[in-house]
């Protein structure tokens, strides 16, 4: 099929390359010329495992091209909207500027019978509004939310765990058939597919992210209780996780969730619920957010306490900047936040991250970035692990003890083995264990 993908950020760039790798003819559009030039050259503007390979292969096949010119989308059968919906600067709601302008920009080029398929995460009610704007062109609108996780974005796009099509009632069958043709390969592999109305499809995405965020804040709330009772939240998570109704995944206590999705999505959902007069229905999301933000401060407080309240000029190695491993994304990153807060208190913070140092440096040039993990550790008086990279998980406590000045470690992701670190002479503090 002929497809266009509007917006070539994390979502759109991966979607464009993945759809081309499935055999579709794809044009990726973005207003950012630098980004388009990079992608057209086979270079990824961000770190995502496996994206380089499928991008280069798709470009070489001739089935993928990138442009800043909207006229290039004219013969596409389906136009995917993958632009960002960040948090508004002036509030908790979603900023729909990019979605609205993408729709305006594609309008003059839509051929009758084509389908505009929104993938961006939007407040419920948006699709119905946009459908009316699109209708006079003879094109139709569907909402097809994306559930990809950073670090697994390529796999999640090619082999999604479910497909959701929010379609207009009157054209349900035609629109379903078009999207089925796009996702033929996943459907042949028995991927569950749900056809819904617009509102359900929009809500599926925010409900899923709200549930995941709630699961993480639930276990972090248990960590707070564990901290005052001497219980171990990791064992608690293992024990409750054996109940298949609960499940062990997304029950890792630590410095909490960040990234470009969960934090802003729960805030936008709460704001939208308020507008709908149903604020109380999701009022718990405010607490989910608060618990989450408290955990960042908790690790900072632990570090400060270890210096008897005087962190000024004390050297702290902060291991991790990205909001999660296998990503260079620092949006709303708990790790970066911890580094910035400690630096703000006067500590001599030296940060290291395997992938996110360049993105972090651009946003926070005032921080010190080590060229290597060893360099970050050398001379440290406290080591703080805040992103669960496997390099940090694999640190050898004995060798690491030789590098630092004071063997004090704060395991903000509960990924180190406390007994091994204590046996090597470290003062180990985890989160709720
Ligand atoms: C999330 C959703 O998982 C995905 O389905 C949606 O499409 C986009 O938002 P992503 O932002 O890539 O994906 O990150 P995710 O893997 O969900 O992790 C979010 C944050 O939660 C990270 O900061 C991670 O470190 C943290 N986390 C995750 C925990 O603190 N504990 C856990 O048990 C799991």
């Amino acid at each position: 099929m002929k497809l266009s993908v509007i917006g070539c950020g994390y979502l759109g760039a991966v979607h464009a390359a993945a759809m081309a790798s499935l055999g579709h003819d794809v044009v990726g559009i973005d207003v950012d010329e630098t980004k388009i030039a990079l992608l057209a050259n086979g270079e990824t503007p961000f770190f995502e495992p496996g994206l380089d390979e499928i991008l280069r292969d798709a470009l070489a096949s001739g089935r993928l091209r990138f442009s800043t010119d909207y006229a290039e989308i004219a013969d596409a059968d389906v136009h995917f909207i993958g632009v960002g919906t960040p948090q508004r600067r002036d509030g908790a709601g979603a900023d729909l500027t990019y979605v609205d302008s993408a729709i305006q920009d594609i309008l003059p080029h839509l051929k009758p019978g084509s389908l505009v398929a929104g993938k961006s995460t939007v407040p419920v009610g948006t699709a119905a509004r946009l459908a009316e704007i699109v209708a006079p062109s003879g094109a139709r609108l569907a909402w097809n939310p994306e559930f990809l996780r950073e670090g697994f974005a390529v796999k999640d796009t090619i082999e999604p765990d479910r497909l959701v099509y929010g379609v207009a009632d009157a054209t349900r069958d035609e629109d379903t058939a078009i999207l089925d043709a796009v996702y033929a390969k996943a459907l042949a592999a028995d991927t569950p597919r749900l056809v819904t109305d617009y509102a359900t499809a929009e809500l599926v995405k925010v409900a899923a992210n709200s549930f995941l965020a709630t699961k993480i804040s639930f276990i972090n709330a248990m960590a707070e209780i564990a901290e005052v009772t001497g219980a171990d939240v990791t064992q608690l998570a293992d024990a409750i996780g054996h109940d298949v109704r609960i499940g062990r995944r997304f029950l890792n206590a630590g410095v909490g969730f960040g990234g470009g999705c969960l934090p802003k999505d729960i805030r936008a959902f709460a704001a939208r619920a308020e507008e709908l007069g149903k604020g109380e229905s999701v009022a718990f999301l405010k607490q989910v957010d608060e618990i989450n933000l408290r955990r960042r401060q908790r690790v900072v407080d632990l570090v400060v306490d270890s210096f008897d309240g005087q962190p000024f000029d004390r050297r702290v190695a902060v291991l991790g900047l990205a909001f999660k491993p296998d990503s260079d994304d620092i949006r709303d990153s708990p790790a970066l936040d911890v580094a910035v807060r400690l630096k703000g208190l006067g500590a001599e913070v030296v940060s290291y991250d395997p992938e996110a140092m360049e993105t972090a440096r651009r946003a926070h040039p005032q921080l010190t970035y080590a060229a290597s993990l060893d360099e970050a550790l050398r001379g440290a008086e406290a080591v703080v692990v805040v992103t669960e990279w496997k390099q940090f998980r694999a640190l050898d406590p004995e060798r690491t003890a030789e590098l630092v000045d004071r063997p004090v470690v704060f395991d903000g992701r509960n990924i180190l083995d406390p007994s091994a670190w204590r046996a090597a002479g470290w003062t180990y503090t985890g989160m709720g264990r």
Side-chain angles (χ1 to χ4, degrees), residues 150-311:
E150 288 181 22
F152 301 90
V154 172
K155 186 178 178 296
D156 287 350
T157 306
I158 295 177
E159 299 164 29
D161 53 14
R162 79 284 210 190
L163 290 162
V164 176
Y165 309 163
V167 294
D169 214 25
T171 52
R172 184 186 168 99
D173 293 345
E174 298 100 291
D175 298 349
T176 302
I178 292 175
L179 290 170
D180 279 354
V182 172
Y183 296 117
K185 192 159 177 213
L187 292 170
D190 284 337
T191 304
R193 177 261 259 158
L194 293 98
V195 182
T196 71
D197 52 29
Y198 289 150
T200 306
E202 292 166 315
L203 279 173
V204 167
K205 176 62 193 263
V206 285
N209 278 355
S210 296
F211 193 90
L212 294 171
T214 303
K215 206 169 172 189
I216 299 170
S217 278
F218 174 84
I219 202 66
N220 279 328
M222 296 306 108
E224 292 185 336
I225 304 295
E227 273 157 13
V228 294
T229 53
D232 180 340
V233 77
T234 304
Q235 284 189 310
L236 179 127
D238 291 343
I240 63 172
H242 281 301
D243 182 333
V244 290
R245 294 170 304 174
I246 297 173
R248 180 62 179 82
R249 296 180 68 187
F250 265 66
L251 275 187
N252 295 321
V255 286
F257 59 81
C261 291
L262 300 191
K264 64 115 175 142
D265 286 354
I266 61 169
R267 291 170 199 152
F269 190 17
R272 182 67 185 132
E274 287 284 349
E275 286 171 10
L276 295 166
K278 282 287 160 200
E280 76 269 25
S281 302
V282 291
F284 67 94
L285 291 177
K286 222 180 182 65
Q287 288 186 342
V288 165
D289 200 7
E290 283 165 9
I291 293 166
N292 191 53
L293 295 177
R294 276 208 298 272
R295 298 314 282 165
R296 305 173 179 192
Q297 188 57 41
R298 167 73 183 161
V299 81
V300 170
D301 291 345
L302 286 168
V303 174
V304 170
D305 286 352
S306 84
F307 293 125
D308 296 323
Q310 305 291 330

Side-chain angles (χ1 to χ4, degrees), residues 117-130:
K119 291 201 101 33
S120 311
T121 304
V122 291
V124 57
T126 305
R129 174 173 68 80
L130 299 179

